[in-house]
Amino acid sequence: MTPPIDAVVELRHVFFGVDGREIIPDLSLEVCRGETFVLLGRSGCGKTTLLKLMNGLLRPGHGEVKVEGTSTLAWDPIQLRRHIGYVIQETGLFPHFTVERNVGLIPRLKSWSEERVKARVEEALIQAGLDPDQFLELYPRQLSGGQRQRVGVARALAGDPPILLMDEPFGALDSITRVEIQREFLRLQRQVRKTIVLVTHNLREALILATRVALMDSGRLAGVYSPQEFLASSDPTVRQYVNAFQMDGGISGEGVSHEPH
């Protein structure tokens, strides 16, 4: 594919290691504005490490990570993380906070007025497919897994960040709920047009949600593809993925993105 011309997140020859062990040996990539960039790969291949490098939770040993053209080392760490929404598999909701307080956390940290916070919390819940009247005063323990995940998405959206990082956001859900939330995700992305970097090891999910798929293998970037290019690729690493998932039930072109979301 043609490289993106409006890069929001850039990694240039990034190295990251811990205790003498290489996790990311030398990786370069670009994520362009408004796309859903999916990091696909096996557990332990460095996908979550890349997300943490992008939002400044980790610092590269060598190379450079840029967000909106500025090195993550030059950003104020708090401002950087408020600029980027983060959604994880178990949502990370505060159990002693109501849904309203969980979703309103970042807007309140930004010192928004209570009137503005209230309006934004309700808007974010609606965007995530939840009725504010029904869910505002509930606690996480009173929600289903799918509802908690939607609240996690609403919280990430509440501060209106231009970038969302999503780490296996649907991995803990049952298959039916997972499909429902994937559909909601596509609807939401068409509505809000955020720049999204999403981690998954599920090829079907990657092909359905992605504008582009970046396949990672042992900390290295094996390639970046559109969903159609991924299915058609003759690269041995890609074919290994495609063949394994075909054996596990098959992959068809139905539901695969043919145009940017």
Side-chain angles (χ1 to χ4, degrees):
M1 294 187 71
T2 303
I5 59 174
D6 186 14
V8 177
V9 179
E10 303 169 74
L11 281 74
R12 293 283 178 260
H13 298 291
V14 167
F15 167 88
F16 182 81
V18 176
D19 297 330
R21 180 171 64 93
E22 289 185 345
I23 299 175
I24 307 292
D26 181 6
L27 190 144
S28 298
L29 62 79
E30 295 178 320
V31 181
C32 65
R33 195 172 306 280
E35 76 170 326
T36 300
F37 190 89
V38 171
L39 295 170
L40 175 70
R42 298 181 182 185
S43 297
C45 72
K47 304 185 301 296
T48 296
T49 298
L50 278 187
L51 292 191
K52 291 179 178 180
L53 286 164
M54 289 176 187
N55 78 349
L57 284 173
L58 297 176
R59 294 181 168 220
H62 301 292
E64 187 174 42
V65 182
K66 289 185 176 182
V67 174
E68 303 279 15
T70 300
S71 168
T72 54
L73 302 182
W75 273 86
D76 175 90
I78 294 174
Q79 293 305 315
L80 177 61
R81 285 162 205 158
R82 291 180 183 176
H83 194 75
I84 299 174
Y86 206 169
V87 183
I88 60 176
Q89 185 176 127
E90 296 298 332
T91 72
L93 299 178
F94 293 106
H96 56 293
F97 279 13
T98 63
V99 166
E100 192 278 336
R101 287 189 68 194
N102 268 291
V103 177
L105 182 64
I106 296 301
R108 288 191 173 96
L109 288 174
K110 290 184 171 183
S111 300
W112 292 11
S113 70
E114 277 303 308
E115 182 179 358
R116 185 182 177 193
V117 171
K118 182 177 184 297
R120 183 56 188 152
V121 167
E122 292 183 0
E123 181 182 26
L125 286 172
I126 291 169
Q127 287 175 336
L130 296 173
D131 179 357
D133 291 338
Q134 182 179 351
F135 290 96
L136 277 174
E137 299 306 318
L138 297 182
Y139 288 85
R141 66 179 180 274
Q142 297 173 292
L143 307 176
S144 69
Q147 290 166 347
R148 285 194 296 273
Q149 201 63 54
R150 289 170 189 261
V151 172
V153 171
R155 184 174 65 178
L157 289 171
D160 201 22
I163 303 166
L164 286 180
L165 305 181
M166 307 183 78
D167 193 356
E168 296 278 6
F170 316 130
L173 304 177
D174 64 85
S175 57
I176 293 175
T177 303
R178 187 167 184 157
V179 169
E180 290 174 349
I181 291 190
Q182 287 169 354
R183 289 172 181 161
E184 285 291 320
F185 175 89
L186 290 172
R187 176 197 62 77
L188 179 64
Q189 175 60 337
R190 285 191 292 267
Q191 178 183 351
V192 300
R193 299 298 298 175
K194 302 292 185 183
T195 301
I196 298 172
V197 183
L198 186 148
V199 161
T200 186
H201 62 266
N202 186 296
L203 179 54
R204 289 186 186 85
E205 185 162 88
L207 295 176
I208 290 168
L209 301 182
T211 306
R212 293 189 298 152
V213 179
L215 179 61
M216 292 191 63
D217 184 31
S218 300
R220 291 178 167 82
L221 194 63
V224 180
Y225 309 86
S226 71
Q228 297 75 30
E229 288 170 341
F230 193 97
L231 289 174
S233 175
S234 59
D235 180 274
T237 305
V238 175
R239 295 316 308 169
Q240 188 177 27
Y241 267 83
V242 173
N243 292 338
F245 277 85
Q246 284 175 336
M247 291 176 62
D248 191 37
I251 300 173
S252 70
E254 183 179 359
V256 173
S257 173
H258 293 271
E259 298 290 343
H261 304 316

